[in-house]
Short mmCIF file of all heavy atoms in Angstrom, two decimals:
data_model
loop_
_atom_site.label_atom_id
_atom_site.label_comp_id
_atom_site.label_asym_id
_atom_site.label_seq_id
_atom_site.Cartn_x
_atom_site.Cartn_y
_atom_site.Cartn_z
N MET A 69 0.83 -1.20 0.00
CA MET A 69 0.00 0.00 0.00
C MET A 69 0.86 1.24 0.00
O MET A 69 0.58 2.18 -0.69
CB MET A 69 -0.93 0.00 1.22
CG MET A 69 -1.63 1.30 1.44
SD MET A 69 -3.12 1.50 0.54
CE MET A 69 -4.19 0.53 1.53
N GLY A 70 1.91 1.23 0.77
CA GLY A 70 2.78 2.39 0.81
C GLY A 70 3.37 2.73 -0.54
O GLY A 70 3.61 3.89 -0.85
N GLU A 71 3.60 1.70 -1.36
CA GLU A 71 4.16 1.93 -2.69
C GLU A 71 3.21 2.71 -3.57
O GLU A 71 3.62 3.62 -4.28
CB GLU A 71 4.53 0.60 -3.34
CG GLU A 71 5.67 -0.11 -2.66
CD GLU A 71 5.94 -1.48 -3.27
OE1 GLU A 71 5.46 -1.76 -4.38
OE2 GLU A 71 6.63 -2.27 -2.60
N LEU A 72 1.93 2.37 -3.54
CA LEU A 72 0.94 3.09 -4.34
C LEU A 72 0.81 4.53 -3.84
O LEU A 72 0.75 5.46 -4.63
CB LEU A 72 -0.42 2.40 -4.31
CG LEU A 72 -1.52 3.09 -5.12
CD1 LEU A 72 -1.16 3.14 -6.61
CD2 LEU A 72 -2.85 2.38 -4.94
N ALA A 73 0.79 4.70 -2.54
CA ALA A 73 0.70 6.05 -1.98
C ALA A 73 1.88 6.89 -2.43
O ALA A 73 1.72 8.03 -2.88
CB ALA A 73 0.64 5.98 -0.45
N GLU A 74 3.07 6.33 -2.35
CA GLU A 74 4.27 7.06 -2.75
C GLU A 74 4.25 7.36 -4.25
O GLU A 74 4.56 8.47 -4.67
CB GLU A 74 5.51 6.23 -2.41
CG GLU A 74 6.81 6.96 -2.64
CD GLU A 74 8.00 6.17 -2.18
OE1 GLU A 74 7.91 5.46 -1.16
OE2 GLU A 74 9.05 6.27 -2.86
N ALA A 75 3.85 6.39 -5.05
CA ALA A 75 3.84 6.56 -6.51
C ALA A 75 2.81 7.58 -6.97
O ALA A 75 2.99 8.21 -8.02
CB ALA A 75 3.58 5.22 -7.18
N THR A 76 1.74 7.75 -6.22
CA THR A 76 0.65 8.64 -6.65
C THR A 76 0.63 9.96 -5.88
O THR A 76 -0.18 10.83 -6.19
CB THR A 76 -0.71 7.95 -6.51
OG1 THR A 76 -0.88 7.53 -5.15
CG2 THR A 76 -0.82 6.76 -7.45
N GLY A 77 1.47 10.09 -4.88
CA GLY A 77 1.54 11.35 -4.14
C GLY A 77 0.42 11.57 -3.15
O GLY A 77 0.13 12.71 -2.78
N VAL A 78 -0.23 10.50 -2.72
CA VAL A 78 -1.28 10.62 -1.70
C VAL A 78 -0.85 9.83 -0.47
O VAL A 78 0.10 9.05 -0.53
CB VAL A 78 -2.65 10.11 -2.20
CG1 VAL A 78 -3.12 10.92 -3.40
CG2 VAL A 78 -2.62 8.64 -2.53
N THR A 79 -1.56 10.00 0.60
CA THR A 79 -1.25 9.26 1.82
C THR A 79 -1.96 7.91 1.82
O THR A 79 -2.93 7.70 1.09
CB THR A 79 -1.68 10.03 3.07
OG1 THR A 79 -3.11 10.15 3.06
CG2 THR A 79 -1.04 11.42 3.14
N VAL A 80 -1.47 7.01 2.63
CA VAL A 80 -2.12 5.72 2.81
C VAL A 80 -3.54 5.94 3.31
O VAL A 80 -4.48 5.27 2.88
CB VAL A 80 -1.31 4.83 3.77
CG1 VAL A 80 -2.08 3.57 4.14
CG2 VAL A 80 0.04 4.47 3.15
N ARG A 81 -3.70 6.90 4.18
CA ARG A 81 -5.04 7.22 4.71
C ARG A 81 -5.99 7.64 3.59
O ARG A 81 -7.17 7.28 3.59
CB ARG A 81 -4.91 8.31 5.77
CG ARG A 81 -6.18 8.60 6.48
CD ARG A 81 -5.96 9.57 7.60
NE ARG A 81 -7.20 9.78 8.31
CZ ARG A 81 -7.30 10.42 9.42
NH1 ARG A 81 -6.23 10.92 10.01
NH2 ARG A 81 -8.47 10.57 10.00
N THR A 82 -5.48 8.41 2.63
CA THR A 82 -6.31 8.83 1.49
C THR A 82 -6.72 7.62 0.67
O THR A 82 -7.88 7.51 0.25
CB THR A 82 -5.55 9.84 0.62
OG1 THR A 82 -5.31 11.02 1.40
CG2 THR A 82 -6.32 10.21 -0.64
N LEU A 83 -5.80 6.68 0.45
CA LEU A 83 -6.13 5.46 -0.29
C LEU A 83 -7.21 4.67 0.43
O LEU A 83 -8.15 4.16 -0.19
CB LEU A 83 -4.90 4.60 -0.50
CG LEU A 83 -3.82 5.18 -1.41
CD1 LEU A 83 -2.62 4.26 -1.47
CD2 LEU A 83 -4.36 5.48 -2.79
N HIS A 84 -7.11 4.58 1.76
CA HIS A 84 -8.14 3.89 2.55
C HIS A 84 -9.48 4.59 2.36
O HIS A 84 -10.52 3.94 2.23
CB HIS A 84 -7.77 3.88 4.02
CG HIS A 84 -6.69 2.93 4.38
ND1 HIS A 84 -6.51 2.48 5.66
CD2 HIS A 84 -5.73 2.33 3.64
CE1 HIS A 84 -5.49 1.65 5.68
NE2 HIS A 84 -5.00 1.56 4.46
N HIS A 85 -9.46 5.92 2.37
CA HIS A 85 -10.70 6.69 2.20
C HIS A 85 -11.30 6.45 0.81
O HIS A 85 -12.51 6.25 0.68
CB HIS A 85 -10.43 8.18 2.42
CG HIS A 85 -11.65 9.02 2.34
ND1 HIS A 85 -12.67 8.96 3.27
CD2 HIS A 85 -12.05 9.93 1.41
CE1 HIS A 85 -13.64 9.80 2.92
NE2 HIS A 85 -13.28 10.40 1.80
N TYR A 86 -10.47 6.46 -0.21
CA TYR A 86 -10.96 6.18 -1.56
C TYR A 86 -11.58 4.80 -1.63
O TYR A 86 -12.60 4.60 -2.28
CB TYR A 86 -9.83 6.28 -2.59
CG TYR A 86 -9.32 7.67 -2.87
CD1 TYR A 86 -8.16 7.85 -3.61
CD2 TYR A 86 -9.97 8.81 -2.42
CE1 TYR A 86 -7.67 9.11 -3.90
CE2 TYR A 86 -9.49 10.08 -2.70
CZ TYR A 86 -8.33 10.22 -3.44
OH TYR A 86 -7.84 11.47 -3.72
N GLU A 87 -10.96 3.83 -0.97
CA GLU A 87 -11.51 2.48 -0.97
C GLU A 87 -12.84 2.44 -0.22
O GLU A 87 -13.81 1.84 -0.68
CB GLU A 87 -10.52 1.50 -0.35
CG GLU A 87 -10.92 0.06 -0.53
CD GLU A 87 -9.85 -0.92 -0.15
OE1 GLU A 87 -8.68 -0.54 0.04
OE2 GLU A 87 -10.19 -2.10 -0.04
N HIS A 88 -12.89 3.11 0.92
CA HIS A 88 -14.11 3.13 1.74
C HIS A 88 -15.28 3.77 0.99
O HIS A 88 -16.43 3.36 1.15
CB HIS A 88 -13.84 3.86 3.06
CG HIS A 88 -15.03 3.96 3.95
ND1 HIS A 88 -15.53 2.89 4.65
CD2 HIS A 88 -15.83 5.00 4.24
CE1 HIS A 88 -16.58 3.27 5.33
NE2 HIS A 88 -16.79 4.55 5.10
N THR A 89 -14.99 4.78 0.18
CA THR A 89 -16.06 5.48 -0.54
C THR A 89 -16.38 4.85 -1.89
O THR A 89 -17.22 5.37 -2.63
CB THR A 89 -15.70 6.97 -0.75
OG1 THR A 89 -14.48 7.05 -1.49
CG2 THR A 89 -15.58 7.71 0.56
N GLY A 90 -15.71 3.76 -2.24
CA GLY A 90 -16.01 3.05 -3.46
C GLY A 90 -15.29 3.55 -4.70
O GLY A 90 -15.62 3.15 -5.81
N LEU A 91 -14.30 4.41 -4.52
CA LEU A 91 -13.55 4.92 -5.66
C LEU A 91 -12.40 4.01 -6.08
O LEU A 91 -11.91 4.08 -7.19
CB LEU A 91 -12.98 6.30 -5.34
CG LEU A 91 -13.99 7.43 -5.29
CD1 LEU A 91 -13.37 8.67 -4.68
CD2 LEU A 91 -14.48 7.73 -6.69
N LEU A 92 -11.96 3.17 -5.18
CA LEU A 92 -10.79 2.34 -5.40
C LEU A 92 -11.02 1.00 -4.73
O LEU A 92 -11.66 0.94 -3.69
CB LEU A 92 -9.57 3.04 -4.79
CG LEU A 92 -8.19 2.44 -5.01
CD1 LEU A 92 -7.80 2.54 -6.48
CD2 LEU A 92 -7.17 3.18 -4.16
N ALA A 93 -10.48 -0.06 -5.33
CA ALA A 93 -10.61 -1.38 -4.73
C ALA A 93 -9.28 -2.11 -4.81
O ALA A 93 -8.62 -2.08 -5.85
CB ALA A 93 -11.68 -2.19 -5.44
N ALA A 94 -8.88 -2.71 -3.71
CA ALA A 94 -7.67 -3.52 -3.71
C ALA A 94 -7.91 -4.75 -4.58
O ALA A 94 -8.99 -5.32 -4.58
CB ALA A 94 -7.32 -3.94 -2.29
N THR A 95 -6.89 -5.14 -5.33
CA THR A 95 -7.04 -6.30 -6.20
C THR A 95 -6.87 -7.60 -5.41
O THR A 95 -7.42 -8.63 -5.80
CB THR A 95 -6.03 -6.26 -7.36
OG1 THR A 95 -4.72 -6.07 -6.83
CG2 THR A 95 -6.37 -5.12 -8.32
N GLU A 96 -6.14 -7.54 -4.32
CA GLU A 96 -5.98 -8.70 -3.45
C GLU A 96 -5.38 -8.25 -2.12
O GLU A 96 -5.07 -7.09 -1.95
CB GLU A 96 -5.09 -9.77 -4.10
CG GLU A 96 -3.68 -9.30 -4.40
CD GLU A 96 -2.86 -10.36 -5.10
OE1 GLU A 96 -2.33 -11.24 -4.40
OE2 GLU A 96 -2.76 -10.30 -6.33
N ARG A 97 -5.25 -9.20 -1.21
CA ARG A 97 -4.63 -8.92 0.10
C ARG A 97 -3.57 -9.96 0.37
O ARG A 97 -3.71 -11.12 0.01
CB ARG A 97 -5.67 -8.94 1.22
CG ARG A 97 -6.58 -7.74 1.19
CD ARG A 97 -7.32 -7.63 2.51
NE ARG A 97 -8.24 -6.50 2.46
CZ ARG A 97 -8.14 -5.47 3.29
NH1 ARG A 97 -7.24 -5.43 4.22
NH2 ARG A 97 -9.01 -4.47 3.19
N THR A 98 -2.51 -9.52 1.05
CA THR A 98 -1.46 -10.45 1.42
C THR A 98 -1.93 -11.27 2.62
O THR A 98 -2.97 -10.97 3.21
CB THR A 98 -0.17 -9.71 1.82
OG1 THR A 98 -0.43 -8.95 3.01
CG2 THR A 98 0.31 -8.79 0.71
N GLU A 99 -1.18 -12.28 2.96
CA GLU A 99 -1.52 -13.08 4.14
C GLU A 99 -1.56 -12.23 5.39
O GLU A 99 -2.31 -12.51 6.32
CB GLU A 99 -0.52 -14.23 4.30
CG GLU A 99 -0.70 -15.33 3.28
CD GLU A 99 0.23 -16.50 3.53
OE1 GLU A 99 0.65 -16.72 4.67
OE2 GLU A 99 0.53 -17.21 2.55
N GLY A 100 -0.76 -11.18 5.42
CA GLY A 100 -0.73 -10.28 6.56
C GLY A 100 -1.84 -9.24 6.54
O GLY A 100 -1.94 -8.41 7.44
N GLY A 101 -2.69 -9.28 5.51
CA GLY A 101 -3.82 -8.36 5.44
C GLY A 101 -3.54 -7.06 4.72
O GLY A 101 -4.40 -6.18 4.66
N HIS A 102 -2.34 -6.90 4.15
CA HIS A 102 -2.02 -5.67 3.43
C HIS A 102 -2.70 -5.67 2.07
O HIS A 102 -2.77 -6.68 1.39
CB HIS A 102 -0.50 -5.54 3.24
CG HIS A 102 0.24 -5.39 4.52
ND1 HIS A 102 0.43 -4.18 5.12
CD2 HIS A 102 0.82 -6.32 5.32
CE1 HIS A 102 1.10 -4.36 6.24
NE2 HIS A 102 1.35 -5.65 6.39
N ARG A 103 -3.19 -4.51 1.70
CA ARG A 103 -3.88 -4.37 0.41
C ARG A 103 -2.85 -4.35 -0.72
O ARG A 103 -1.80 -3.74 -0.60
CB ARG A 103 -4.67 -3.06 0.39
CG ARG A 103 -5.83 -3.04 1.35
CD ARG A 103 -6.32 -1.59 1.49
NE ARG A 103 -7.49 -1.49 2.32
CZ ARG A 103 -7.46 -1.35 3.64
NH1 ARG A 103 -6.31 -1.30 4.28
NH2 ARG A 103 -8.58 -1.25 4.33
N MET A 104 -3.23 -4.98 -1.82
CA MET A 104 -2.39 -4.99 -3.02
C MET A 104 -3.18 -4.34 -4.15
O MET A 104 -4.38 -4.58 -4.30
CB MET A 104 -2.03 -6.43 -3.41
CG MET A 104 -1.29 -7.21 -2.34
SD MET A 104 0.38 -6.63 -2.06
CE MET A 104 1.14 -7.10 -3.60
N TYR A 105 -2.50 -3.50 -4.92
CA TYR A 105 -3.14 -2.79 -6.02
C TYR A 105 -2.41 -3.08 -7.33
O TYR A 105 -1.21 -3.33 -7.32
CB TYR A 105 -3.14 -1.28 -5.76
CG TYR A 105 -3.98 -0.88 -4.59
CD1 TYR A 105 -3.42 -0.66 -3.35
CD2 TYR A 105 -5.35 -0.73 -4.71
CE1 TYR A 105 -4.19 -0.29 -2.26
CE2 TYR A 105 -6.14 -0.36 -3.63
CZ TYR A 105 -5.55 -0.14 -2.40
OH TYR A 105 -6.31 0.21 -1.34
N ASP A 106 -3.13 -2.99 -8.44
CA ASP A 106 -2.51 -3.19 -9.74
C ASP A 106 -2.22 -1.85 -10.40
O ASP A 106 -2.50 -0.79 -9.84
CB ASP A 106 -3.40 -4.07 -10.62
CG ASP A 106 -4.80 -3.49 -10.84
OD1 ASP A 106 -5.03 -2.30 -10.52
OD2 ASP A 106 -5.66 -4.23 -11.32
N ARG A 107 -1.65 -1.90 -11.59
CA ARG A 107 -1.27 -0.68 -12.33
C ARG A 107 -2.50 0.20 -12.59
O ARG A 107 -2.44 1.42 -12.51
CB ARG A 107 -0.60 -1.06 -13.63
CG ARG A 107 -0.12 0.13 -14.44
CD ARG A 107 0.51 -0.29 -15.75
NE ARG A 107 1.52 -1.31 -15.58
CZ ARG A 107 2.82 -1.07 -15.48
NH1 ARG A 107 3.25 0.18 -15.54
NH2 ARG A 107 3.68 -2.05 -15.34
N GLU A 108 -3.63 -0.42 -12.88
CA GLU A 108 -4.86 0.33 -13.15
C GLU A 108 -5.27 1.17 -11.93
O GLU A 108 -5.79 2.26 -12.07
CB GLU A 108 -5.98 -0.63 -13.54
CG GLU A 108 -7.25 0.07 -13.97
CD GLU A 108 -8.32 -0.91 -14.41
OE1 GLU A 108 -8.03 -1.73 -15.31
OE2 GLU A 108 -9.43 -0.85 -13.85
N SER A 109 -5.01 0.65 -10.74
CA SER A 109 -5.34 1.39 -9.51
C SER A 109 -4.55 2.68 -9.44
O SER A 109 -5.07 3.72 -9.03
CB SER A 109 -5.07 0.53 -8.28
OG SER A 109 -5.89 -0.61 -8.27
N GLY A 110 -3.29 2.62 -9.83
CA GLY A 110 -2.46 3.83 -9.84
C GLY A 110 -3.00 4.87 -10.80
O GLY A 110 -3.07 6.06 -10.47
N GLN A 111 -3.41 4.42 -11.97
CA GLN A 111 -3.99 5.33 -12.96
C GLN A 111 -5.28 5.93 -12.42
O GLN A 111 -5.56 7.11 -12.63
CB GLN A 111 -4.24 4.58 -14.27
CG GLN A 111 -2.96 4.15 -14.95
CD GLN A 111 -3.20 3.20 -16.10
OE1 GLN A 111 -4.27 2.63 -16.26
NE2 GLN A 111 -2.18 3.02 -16.92
N ARG A 112 -6.05 5.12 -11.73
CA ARG A 112 -7.32 5.57 -11.16
C ARG A 112 -7.07 6.66 -10.10
O ARG A 112 -7.78 7.67 -10.07
CB ARG A 112 -8.07 4.39 -10.57
CG ARG A 112 -9.48 4.68 -10.18
CD ARG A 112 -10.19 3.38 -9.82
NE ARG A 112 -11.57 3.61 -9.48
CZ ARG A 112 -12.57 3.57 -10.35
NH1 ARG A 112 -12.35 3.28 -11.60
NH2 ARG A 112 -13.81 3.79 -9.96
N VAL A 113 -6.08 6.46 -9.26
CA VAL A 113 -5.76 7.46 -8.23
C VAL A 113 -5.34 8.77 -8.89
O VAL A 113 -5.76 9.85 -8.48
CB VAL A 113 -4.69 6.95 -7.25
CG1 VAL A 113 -4.23 8.06 -6.32
CG2 VAL A 113 -5.21 5.77 -6.45
N HIS A 114 -4.52 8.70 -9.93
CA HIS A 114 -4.12 9.91 -10.65
C HIS A 114 -5.34 10.62 -11.24
O HIS A 114 -5.44 11.84 -11.19
CB HIS A 114 -3.10 9.59 -11.75
CG HIS A 114 -1.73 9.31 -11.24
ND1 HIS A 114 -0.96 10.24 -10.56
CD2 HIS A 114 -0.99 8.18 -11.27
CE1 HIS A 114 0.19 9.70 -10.23
NE2 HIS A 114 0.20 8.44 -10.64
N GLN A 115 -6.27 9.85 -11.78
CA GLN A 115 -7.49 10.43 -12.35
C GLN A 115 -8.32 11.10 -11.25
O GLN A 115 -8.82 12.21 -11.45
CB GLN A 115 -8.29 9.32 -13.03
CG GLN A 115 -9.47 9.80 -13.81
CD GLN A 115 -10.17 8.65 -14.53
OE1 GLN A 115 -10.16 7.51 -14.06
NE2 GLN A 115 -10.77 8.94 -15.66
N ILE A 116 -8.46 10.45 -10.11
CA ILE A 116 -9.21 11.03 -8.99
C ILE A 116 -8.56 12.34 -8.56
O ILE A 116 -9.25 13.35 -8.38
CB ILE A 116 -9.28 10.04 -7.80
CG1 ILE A 116 -10.12 8.81 -8.17
CG2 ILE A 116 -9.83 10.74 -6.55
CD1 ILE A 116 -9.96 7.65 -7.20
N ARG A 117 -7.25 12.33 -8.42
CA ARG A 117 -6.53 13.55 -8.00
C ARG A 117 -6.74 14.69 -9.00
O ARG A 117 -6.95 15.84 -8.60
CB ARG A 117 -5.04 13.27 -7.83
CG ARG A 117 -4.76 12.41 -6.62
CD ARG A 117 -3.29 12.35 -6.33
NE ARG A 117 -2.86 13.66 -5.87
CZ ARG A 117 -1.62 14.11 -5.98
NH1 ARG A 117 -0.69 13.38 -6.53
NH2 ARG A 117 -1.30 15.30 -5.52
N ALA A 118 -6.67 14.38 -10.29
CA ALA A 118 -6.85 15.41 -11.32
C ALA A 118 -8.26 16.01 -11.24
O ALA A 118 -8.42 17.23 -11.32
CB ALA A 118 -6.59 14.81 -12.70
N LEU A 119 -9.25 15.16 -11.08
CA LEU A 119 -10.62 15.64 -10.98
C LEU A 119 -10.85 16.45 -9.71
O LEU A 119 -11.57 17.46 -9.72
CB LEU A 119 -11.60 14.47 -11.07
CG LEU A 119 -11.66 13.80 -12.45
CD1 LEU A 119 -12.43 12.49 -12.38
CD2 LEU A 119 -12.26 14.74 -13.48
N ARG A 120 -10.21 16.06 -8.62
CA ARG A 120 -10.31 16.82 -7.36
C ARG A 120 -9.71 18.21 -7.56
O ARG A 120 -10.26 19.20 -7.08
CB ARG A 120 -9.59 16.10 -6.22
CG ARG A 120 -10.27 14.84 -5.75
CD ARG A 120 -11.56 15.07 -5.01
NE ARG A 120 -11.29 15.68 -3.73
CZ ARG A 120 -12.12 16.52 -3.10
NH1 ARG A 120 -13.27 16.82 -3.63
NH2 ARG A 120 -11.81 17.02 -1.94
N GLU A 121 -8.58 18.27 -8.26
CA GLU A 121 -7.93 19.57 -8.51
C GLU A 121 -8.80 20.47 -9.38
O GLU A 121 -8.69 21.70 -9.29
CB GLU A 121 -6.56 19.37 -9.15
CG GLU A 121 -5.54 18.80 -8.17
CD GLU A 121 -4.19 18.56 -8.81
OE1 GLU A 121 -3.91 19.11 -9.90
OE2 GLU A 121 -3.40 17.81 -8.21
N LEU A 122 -9.66 19.87 -10.19
CA LEU A 122 -10.59 20.65 -11.01
C LEU A 122 -11.83 21.07 -10.23
O LEU A 122 -12.70 21.76 -10.76
CB LEU A 122 -11.00 19.85 -12.25
CG LEU A 122 -9.90 19.63 -13.27
CD1 LEU A 122 -10.36 18.67 -14.36
CD2 LEU A 122 -9.47 20.97 -13.88
N GLY A 123 -11.93 20.62 -8.98
CA GLY A 123 -13.03 21.05 -8.12
C GLY A 123 -14.17 20.07 -7.96
O GLY A 123 -15.18 20.40 -7.33
N PHE A 124 -14.04 18.87 -8.52
CA PHE A 124 -15.11 17.89 -8.39
C PHE A 124 -15.07 17.25 -7.00
O PHE A 124 -14.00 17.02 -6.44
CB PHE A 124 -14.98 16.79 -9.45
CG PHE A 124 -15.28 17.27 -10.83
CD1 PHE A 124 -14.27 17.71 -11.67
CD2 PHE A 124 -16.59 17.29 -11.30
CE1 PHE A 124 -14.54 18.15 -12.95
CE2 PHE A 124 -16.87 17.73 -12.58
CZ PHE A 124 -15.83 18.17 -13.41
N SER A 125 -16.24 16.95 -6.46
CA SER A 125 -16.33 16.27 -5.16
C SER A 125 -16.11 14.78 -5.38
O SER A 125 -16.24 14.27 -6.50
CB SER A 125 -17.70 16.49 -4.53
OG SER A 125 -18.69 15.76 -5.23
N LEU A 126 -15.81 14.06 -4.30
CA LEU A 126 -15.64 12.61 -4.40
C LEU A 126 -16.93 11.93 -4.86
O LEU A 126 -16.90 10.96 -5.60
CB LEU A 126 -15.15 12.02 -3.08
CG LEU A 126 -13.75 12.43 -2.66
CD1 LEU A 126 -13.39 11.79 -1.32
CD2 LEU A 126 -12.71 12.06 -3.71
N VAL A 127 -18.07 12.46 -4.44
CA VAL A 127 -19.36 11.90 -4.85
C VAL A 127 -19.53 12.07 -6.37
O VAL A 127 -19.92 11.13 -7.07
CB VAL A 127 -20.53 12.58 -4.09
CG1 VAL A 127 -21.87 12.15 -4.67
CG2 VAL A 127 -20.45 12.25 -2.62
N GLU A 128 -19.20 13.24 -6.87
CA GLU A 128 -19.31 13.48 -8.32
C GLU A 128 -18.35 12.59 -9.09
O GLU A 128 -18.70 12.04 -10.15
CB GLU A 128 -19.01 14.95 -8.64
CG GLU A 128 -20.07 15.91 -8.12
CD GLU A 128 -19.63 17.36 -8.21
OE1 GLU A 128 -18.44 17.67 -7.97
OE2 GLU A 128 -20.50 18.20 -8.52
N ILE A 129 -17.15 12.43 -8.57
CA ILE A 129 -16.14 11.58 -9.23
C ILE A 129 -16.61 10.13 -9.25
O ILE A 129 -16.51 9.45 -10.27
CB ILE A 129 -14.78 11.72 -8.54
CG1 ILE A 129 -14.24 13.15 -8.73
CG2 ILE A 129 -13.79 10.68 -9.07
CD1 ILE A 129 -13.03 13.48 -7.87
N ARG A 130 -17.13 9.66 -8.14
CA ARG A 130 -17.60 8.27 -8.08
C ARG A 130 -18.71 8.04 -9.10
O ARG A 130 -18.72 7.05 -9.81
CB ARG A 130 -18.07 7.91 -6.66
CG ARG A 130 -18.42 6.43 -6.52
CD ARG A 130 -18.80 6.02 -5.12
NE ARG A 130 -20.02 6.67 -4.70
CZ ARG A 130 -20.12 7.53 -3.69
NH1 ARG A 130 -19.08 7.82 -2.95
NH2 ARG A 130 -21.27 8.06 -3.37
N LYS A 131 -19.65 8.98 -9.17
CA LYS A 131 -20.75 8.85 -10.14
C LYS A 131 -20.20 8.81 -11.57
O LYS A 131 -20.64 8.01 -12.39
CB LYS A 131 -21.74 10.00 -9.98
CG LYS A 131 -22.61 9.88 -8.76
CD LYS A 131 -23.56 11.05 -8.66
CE LYS A 131 -24.38 10.99 -7.40
NZ LYS A 131 -25.26 12.17 -7.27
N ALA A 132 -19.26 9.69 -11.88
CA ALA A 132 -18.70 9.75 -13.22
C ALA A 132 -17.90 8.50 -13.56
O ALA A 132 -17.96 8.02 -14.70
CB ALA A 132 -17.81 10.98 -13.35
N MET A 133 -17.19 7.95 -12.61
CA MET A 133 -16.35 6.79 -12.87
C MET A 133 -17.16 5.50 -12.98
O MET A 133 -16.69 4.53 -13.56
CB MET A 133 -15.29 6.64 -11.79
CG MET A 133 -14.24 7.72 -11.84
SD MET A 133 -13.01 7.48 -10.58
CE MET A 133 -11.53 7.66 -11.56
N HIS A 134 -18.35 5.49 -12.46
CA HIS A 134 -19.18 4.28 -12.51
C HIS A 134 -20.11 4.27 -13.71
O HIS A 134 -20.91 3.37 -13.86
CB HIS A 134 -19.96 4.10 -11.21
CG HIS A 134 -19.09 3.67 -10.07
ND1 HIS A 134 -18.55 2.41 -9.98
CD2 HIS A 134 -18.64 4.35 -9.00
CE1 HIS A 134 -17.81 2.33 -8.90
NE2 HIS A 134 -17.83 3.49 -8.29
N HIS A 135 -20.03 5.28 -14.55
CA HIS A 135 -20.89 5.31 -15.75
C HIS A 135 -20.13 4.90 -16.96
O HIS A 135 -19.04 4.88 -17.16
CB HIS A 135 -21.45 6.72 -15.95
CG HIS A 135 -22.58 7.02 -15.01
ND1 HIS A 135 -22.61 6.61 -13.72
CD2 HIS A 135 -23.73 7.68 -15.21
CE1 HIS A 135 -23.73 7.03 -13.15
NE2 HIS A 135 -24.43 7.68 -14.05
#
């Protein structure tokens, strides 16, 4: 998880929040319970960040990404 946070410039807490709100989903979990993400997840986080910078709310982003 820390790798995705570092690669995308967000905090681990932000990634947890995105997952909790349905914007992001872990592709799997390690035996220790750590979340694992794929390359698409990184692209998704960058997209979320770009839309946030444009002023969109997380609710608006979630609606747009699910259509």
Side-chain angles (χ1 to χ4, degrees):
M69 169 86 78
E71 293 175 16
L72 180 62
E74 186 175 324
T76 57
V78 299
T79 64
V80 171
R81 186 174 183 171
T82 296
L83 293 177
H84 285 200
H85 183 68
Y86 289 170
E87 190 170 347
H88 179 73
T89 58
L91 287 168
L92 186 67
T95 53
E96 62 182 278
R97 287 195 182 241
T98 65
E99 287 184 26
H102 295 274
R103 293 166 176 88
M104 301 290 292
Y105 294 98
D106 58 13
R107 183 182 309 264
E108 186 177 305
S109 297
Q111 294 169 344
R112 191 171 182 91
V113 172
H114 285 297
Q115 188 177 30
I116 293 166
R117 289 190 69 205
L119 292 169
R120 290 290 290 149
E121 288 178 17
L122 291 172
F124 290 94
S125 72
L126 293 179
V127 172
E128 291 169 322
I129 294 169
R130 186 176 65 243
K131 286 180 184 177
M133 291 181 131
H134 287 289
H135 282 39

